[in-house]
Amino acid sequence: MKDELTKRLSSVLGGRWTLRRIERLTGGASRETWALTAVSAGGTVRELILRRDPPGREDAGRIAMEAASFDEAARTGVPVPEVVDRSGDEPRPGIGAYLVMSRVPGEALPQKLLRDDELDDVRAALPYELGRILARIHRMDVGAVPNLPDYDPLSFLFDEYVATGAPVPALEAAFAWLTRNRPPATGKAFVHGDFRNGNLLVDADGIRGVLDWELAHVGDPMEDLGWLCTRTWRFGSPHPVGGFGSRDDLFRGYADESGRSPDPEVVHWWEVYGSLRWAVICRMQASAAPGDENILELLAIGRRVAECEHDLLDLLGVAPYDDTTTPAPDTDDLLGTPRAEELLDAVRAFVLEVGSGADAKTRYRSRVAAHMLGIVAREASVAPAVRETYRVRLAGLGYRAESELALGVRAGHARIDDQQVAEVIRGLAESRLKVANPKYR
């Protein structure tokens, strides 16, 4: 890849260029990201970012759509990196389907954006600024961007959900609520599709770049506002807009730029949709894991559906349920000691120790692996008790399995406003959350 990239950069930048650095960056479950340092024969240095589809999964049309989105966004005043080079209608031999962008200064890691003292002054102003940027995005000319999808979002999401696993009661309840309460469309515009904390470059001067346009499509502009407010993208902060601040400031910025004030109830609908959409994306990524080099991350993401269930039930107004299911104490260790969870805890500590002295990619993977071992250890300790408790509780509702309850919700035979049904659905979701991420509340 390095030789082909060097040839391309020399062609598009002019003169003779060499690549001093080409480094794979961590993160990115669906597309590779590489940091490049290019140096001209005269000593000029360009810091660049390469985004490309993994070999064997190239989609040149989607790359062309993303590159054109960057171009059109820049035209409407959205801060974005400059696209330096891109693949054509077909993947380029030796590189694949890709685009190369200028490297923009700023921080993208959500935890740093939310906690760094250096960003204290700018953080409070971000919701208003994000509102203005979203209004500019929604002014983009959809005709200037090829291959831009246009679909019914709820039908599309349901089809993806059905294709990626067994039915889940909490997710079925969310689909039913969204169908019953769907508001009229507020318009048809360019939608970024993944506008959130984590896809923004920010420094002390404000937002320097909006990244990751690969999910852009034509749709209701309020989808972007709801996605930004989805709890997943708050990263533990209590503030609803990406963890930065209030919806009022977001809406004010949007209105000042566009002349139209968002309807909070419509944005709420899209926030519910966003939580459900993230659940489906988690299922999709986990189902794509076998054989993928990011298998650890993809499988771990699959367990994050439990967080989405918790968020959706909160949004739907289902009261918390205090599930006191606990494993019965084993007086006889029939399978030997140390217990399984003790063994797994020891392996987890070892994985972290080995990863701490490795390269950045391996350190990241070691943390993901340790997280997965924690899930397995917690599940080993509670699984028998949870299975028996909910076998009995499901039978009390007339169902032999959770999937049957989920299909009952889909058919309208079981409703979330029935307290007994709601308690079982909430209890199942909370049991999964205690295993997947007990700190998530």
Side-chain angles (χ1 to χ4, degrees):
M1 181 173 71
K2 183 176 180 179
D3 290 345
E4 292 301 320
L5 273 174
T6 300
K7 292 177 185 176
R8 283 297 304 167
L9 291 175
S10 295
S11 174
V12 298
L13 296 177
R16 185 167 60 85
W17 290 75
T18 58
L19 280 176
R20 180 183 295 168
R21 178 178 68 133
I22 175 168
E23 178 184 355
R24 176 80 179 270
L25 302 179
T26 58
S30 62
R31 185 173 284 174
E32 297 177 2
T33 304
W34 298 74
L36 312 176
T37 301
V39 183
S40 73
T44 301
V45 177
R46 292 286 302 269
E47 297 292 342
L48 305 169
I49 294 292
L50 166 71
R51 296 258 293 158
R52 73 167 189 161
D53 289 331
R57 299 212 307 269
E58 293 93 344
D59 187 342
R62 189 173 68 163
I63 287 282
M65 180 272 290
E66 187 171 359
S69 296
F70 276 108
D71 295 340
E72 176 62 11
R75 188 191 67 79
T76 59
V78 178
V80 288
E82 174 197 2
V83 176
V84 174
D85 188 29
R86 67 198 77 185
S87 52
D89 294 335
E90 299 291 335
R92 189 174 296 279
I95 311 176
Y98 72 96
L99 58 87
V100 176
M101 304 172 289
S102 60
R103 184 162 192 162
V104 176
E107 179 59 66
L109 190 65
Q111 290 78 1
K112 289 189 176 181
L113 292 181
L114 293 173
R115 296 172 179 84
D116 270 14
D117 293 341
E118 296 176 2
L119 297 174
D120 281 348
D121 291 340
V122 73
R123 199 155 30 233
L126 288 178
Y128 178 82
E129 188 176 357
L130 290 168
R132 299 198 68 167
I133 289 173
L134 276 174
R136 293 177 202 143
I137 288 173
H138 299 154
R139 286 203 299 266
M140 289 169 57
D141 180 5
V142 297
V145 182
N147 310 312
L148 201 60
D150 185 356
Y151 50 78
D152 178 77
L154 198 52
S155 298
F156 179 83
L157 190 65
F158 184 75
D159 290 344
E160 295 287 353
Y161 162 72
V162 169
T164 51
V168 177
L171 306 188
E172 293 285 351
F175 273 113
W177 185 91
L178 287 166
T179 301
R180 290 195 305 270
N181 295 279
R182 188 170 187 174
T186 64
K188 208 168 182 63
F190 186 103
V191 174
H192 180 281
D194 202 12
F195 190 89
R196 59 175 177 84
N197 191 354
N199 285 338
L200 305 167
L201 282 168
V202 179
D203 65 13
D205 294 324
I207 299 169
R208 301 295 299 273
V210 178
L211 309 176
D212 288 8
W213 295 70
E214 62 189 280
L215 297 179
H217 58 277
V218 178
D220 189 319
M222 294 301 102
E223 179 182 344
D224 276 336
L225 279 75
W227 186 243
L228 175 61
C229 294
T230 299
R231 181 179 172 183
T232 296
W233 313 125
R234 301 174 197 170
F235 297 92
S237 167
H239 303 296
V241 180
F244 303 124
S246 72
R247 293 183 184 88
D248 286 346
D249 286 344
L250 173 71
F251 296 166
R252 185 166 54 85
Y254 193 89
D256 285 351
E257 183 70 30
S258 69
R260 293 178 289 120
S261 297
D263 182 333
E265 290 188 9
V266 173
V267 176
H268 173 75
W269 189 93
W270 282 107
E271 191 175 326
V272 175
Y273 174 87
S275 290
L276 182 56
R277 178 187 172 209
W278 176 236
V280 174
I281 290 172
C282 290
R283 284 163 58 107
M284 291 171 62
Q285 296 204 358
S287 67
D292 194 290
E293 73 167 303
N294 292 322
I295 185 169
L296 286 176
E297 183 181 3
L298 294 172
L299 290 175
I301 287 173
R303 285 297 183 107
R304 294 196 64 185
V305 173
E307 299 171 10
C308 303
E309 292 180 74
H310 174 86
D311 293 345
L312 285 165
L313 293 171
D314 279 354
L315 288 165
L316 297 182
V318 178
Y321 176 66
D322 184 16
D323 187 353
T324 56
T325 302
T326 56
D330 282 338
T331 55
D332 296 319
D333 298 315
L334 298 178
L335 301 179
T337 57
R339 298 174 185 274
E341 54 266 32
E342 294 177 280
L343 296 173
L344 288 165
D345 283 345
V347 175
R348 179 176 177 274
F350 174 74
V351 167
L352 288 172
E353 179 185 346
V354 171
S356 65
D359 59 272
K361 183 176 182 180
T362 304
R363 286 198 305 274
Y364 173 73
R365 287 183 168 181
S366 73
R367 292 195 297 271
V368 174
H371 170 67
M372 294 172 71
L373 288 168
I375 291 174
V376 175
R378 290 188 293 273
E379 183 168 319
S381 69
V382 304
V386 170
R387 289 191 180 106
E388 178 57 21
T389 295
Y390 283 95
R391 182 190 67 78
V392 173
R393 298 195 70 197
L394 285 163
L397 294 176
Y399 298 100
R400 293 171 297 177
E402 183 185 14
S403 58
E404 285 191 2
L405 171 59
L407 293 176
V409 174
R410 186 184 302 179
H413 302 146
R415 290 179 61 91
I416 202 76
D417 52 11
D418 179 319
Q419 184 175 346
Q420 286 185 302
V421 171
E423 287 182 355
V424 170
I425 292 176
R426 188 85 192 201
L428 285 163
E430 294 301 322
S431 295
R432 279 192 282 272
L433 188 60
K434 287 177 183 177
V435 168
N437 187 359
K439 295 181 180 179
Y440 191 91
R441 286 290 185 273

